[in-house]
């Protein structure tokens, strides 16, 4: 099983290598790809050193699967070239997510829709993945009408430059800025660029991707996405209006039985999910589960996950695991 990681030296690419190791994915040969300036450098994987190569060289080495985490423009250019060579691409960028000819996959929800014909598979947005993993089993039971979500997203969602900005500001050092404003001791209510409708691209990703993954265009979603001075882990306040009424105990039991979800919901003991508790974990954590007392059939909850793992690297590796188990790669 030859595996290429495109963007192997970046935050998500490095996390992909870690997750491949931890989950013992059957890699017989790793082919790390990065920018021209990184070619020839070495990447350590399972105690062995592998030289970084160009995307072109990687294609010639005929890997079975390519995990992409190098940005949308690289994906648009190179994913079709890998696919044309018969290599299955799992892409972490936003390049292919809303392409009607490409599957947008969270394995626990819609992995079964994948076939051998799917040569470019899109990995959803980090903030969408953790939300839909919780929404999906509840949608099956009660049918979701509308979701109102506000996110509290960590700086690792932007990349190393943003982490450096936060740490520099914390130390009182001036340096390169990833954001237009200071992030330490601040909150920035903008993630990605603004669109004509006044929402940001990140907010509309959550709106559109949720419908596509859950296979239901009737679900109405409205989002506000916010950057906070936290190193890792995204949090979300989610308000869900259902068609049918629910019992809180049934909601908790359903979520506790959902693969990949952990319920942390003991308000009397001050037990609820926090980013620091989700660090380096693959699960999505949910708590503060309570009825919205202002309208019927409506639920409030708080969802937290490590955005570099289930929100990116782990989900991509889980797609590869599913393909391997089904003998599609």
């Amino acid at each position: 099983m030859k595996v290429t990681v495109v963007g192997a030296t970046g935050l998500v690419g490095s996390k992909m290598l870690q997750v491949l190791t931890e989950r013992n994915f059957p890699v017989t040969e790793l082919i790390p790809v990065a920018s021209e300036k990184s070619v020839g450098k070495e990447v350590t994987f399972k105690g062995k050193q592998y030289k970084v190569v160009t995307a072109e060289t990687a294609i010639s080495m005929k890997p079975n699967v390519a995990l992409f985490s190098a940005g949308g423009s690289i994906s648009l250019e190179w994913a079709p070239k890998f696919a044309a060579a018969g290599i299955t691409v799992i892409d972490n960028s936003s390049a292919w997510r809303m392409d009607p000819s490409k599957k947008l996959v969270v394995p626990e929800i819609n992995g079964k829709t994948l076939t051998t014909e799917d040569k470019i598979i899109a990995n959803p947005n980090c903030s969408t993945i953790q939300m839909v993993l919780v929404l999906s089993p509840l949608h099956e039971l009660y049918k979701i009408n509308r979701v109102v979500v506000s996110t509290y997203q960590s700086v690792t969602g932007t990349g190393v430059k943003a982490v450096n900005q936060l740490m520099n500001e914390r130390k009182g050092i001036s340096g390169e800025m990833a954001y237009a404003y200071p992030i330490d001791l601040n909150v920035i209510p903008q993630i990605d660029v603004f669109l004509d409708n006044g929402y940001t691209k990140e907010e509309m990703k959550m709106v559109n991707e949720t419908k596509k993954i859950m296979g239901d265009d009737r679900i109405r979603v409205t989002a506000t996405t916010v950057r906070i001075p936290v190193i890792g882990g995204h949090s979300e306040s989610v308000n869900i209006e259902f068609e049918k009424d629910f019992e809180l105990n049934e909601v908790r039991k359903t979520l506790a039985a959902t693969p990949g979800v952990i319920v942390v919901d003991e308000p009397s003991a001050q037990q609820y999910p926090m980013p620091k508790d989700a660090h380096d974990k693959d699960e999505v954590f949910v708590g503060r589960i309570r009825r919205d007392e202002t309208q019927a059939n409506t639920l409030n909850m708080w969802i937290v996950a490590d955005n570099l793992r289930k929100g990116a690297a782990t989900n991509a590796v889980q797609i590869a695991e599913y393909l391997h188990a089904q003998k599609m790669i």
Side-chain angles (χ1 to χ4, degrees):
M1 178 68 63
K2 289 186 184 179
V3 177
T4 290
V5 176
V6 179
T9 57
L11 265 184
V12 175
S14 301
K15 193 61 70 172
M16 283 175 171
L17 296 178
Q18 182 186 335
V19 173
L20 285 166
T21 302
E22 289 175 1
R23 296 177 72 90
N24 209 25
F25 190 75
V27 181
T28 55
E29 184 181 350
L30 178 74
I31 307 168
V33 173
S35 63
E36 291 284 348
K37 65 182 180 186
S38 296
V39 170
K41 289 182 180 174
E42 292 192 330
V43 167
T44 304
F45 178 72
K46 289 191 171 181
K48 287 186 185 175
Q49 300 295 112
Y50 294 89
K51 275 192 164 45
V52 172
V53 299
T54 64
E56 204 163 3
T57 301
I59 292 172
S60 72
M61 294 170 77
K62 298 188 170 10
N64 302 83
V65 63
L67 306 179
F68 269 57
S69 184
S73 59
I74 299 293
S75 295
L76 286 169
E77 180 184 356
W78 285 99
K81 294 177 183 177
F82 275 78
I87 302 156
T88 301
V89 173
I90 301 168
D91 180 47
N92 196 57
S93 80
S94 60
W96 304 100
R97 290 176 188 158
M98 297 314 298
D99 184 325
S101 68
K102 305 292 184 288
K103 307 271 174 67
L104 183 65
V105 176
V106 176
E108 298 93 334
I109 299 173
N110 60 347
K112 289 179 181 174
T113 63
L114 291 170
T115 70
T116 50
E117 304 302 307
D118 295 307
K119 285 300 176 192
I120 299 177
I121 302 162
N123 208 33
N125 185 41
C126 48
S127 47
T128 305
I129 290 173
Q130 66 186 73
M131 183 173 77
V132 295
L133 200 60
V134 173
L135 294 185
S136 182
L138 300 180
H139 184 51
E140 285 181 29
L141 283 177
Y142 312 117
K143 287 285 174 289
I144 295 171
N145 284 335
R146 182 171 185 256
V147 178
V148 182
V149 54
S150 296
T151 71
Y152 306 73
Q153 294 178 226
S154 70
V155 294
T156 49
T158 308
V160 174
K161 189 175 170 184
V163 176
N164 291 341
Q165 179 184 331
L166 173 60
M167 297 317 292
N168 284 340
E169 287 170 359
R170 193 146 289 189
K171 294 170 187 169
I173 301 167
S174 61
E176 199 178 7
M177 301 274 285
Y179 306 117
Y181 301 98
I183 184 63
D184 191 31
L185 300 177
N186 194 24
V187 166
I188 302 173
Q190 175 190 353
I191 297 179
D192 215 324
V193 296
F194 282 103
L195 304 172
D196 290 341
N197 64 357
Y199 287 81
T200 66
K201 219 168 155 187
E202 180 86 356
E203 288 158 356
M204 294 313 298
K205 283 176 192 173
M206 294 193 76
V207 172
N208 297 320
E209 291 178 24
T210 297
K211 295 176 181 184
K212 184 171 179 178
I213 295 162
M214 293 179 64
D216 193 340
D217 283 336
R218 294 172 307 148
I219 299 172
R220 293 172 295 151
V221 182
T222 187
T224 303
T225 57
V226 180
R227 191 72 68 192
I228 62 169
V230 165
I231 291 275
H234 289 354
S235 306
E236 299 171 347
S237 171
V238 186
N239 178 273
I240 313 153
E241 180 195 328
F242 298 105
E243 273 182 27
K244 304 172 187 171
D245 200 7
F246 55 85
E247 289 295 330
L248 284 174
N249 281 341
E250 187 181 38
V251 168
R252 290 190 182 97
K253 280 181 186 172
T254 299
L255 293 176
T258 300
V261 174
I262 294 178
V263 176
V264 183
D265 192 34
E266 291 288 343
S268 60
Q270 297 183 25
Q271 294 294 307
Y272 32 70
M274 292 180 286
K276 72 178 187 66
D277 302 320
H279 178 66
D280 240 6
K281 295 189 173 74
D282 288 330
E283 295 81 10
V284 171
F285 298 82
V286 59
R288 299 297 318 279
I289 300 167
R290 62 211 189 276
R291 191 176 286 276
D292 179 344
E293 297 182 342
T294 67
Q295 65 174 17
N297 306 346
T298 305
L299 186 69
N300 282 309
M301 59 175 61
W302 177 252
I303 302 170
V304 176
D306 185 321
N307 53 294
L308 293 183
R309 289 191 68 106
K310 184 55 181 172
T314 301
N315 198 74
V317 172
Q318 285 175 317
I319 294 171
E321 287 173 342
Y322 179 83
L323 295 172
H324 181 253
Q326 300 302 316
K327 298 183 168 49
M328 293 184 197
I329 53 171

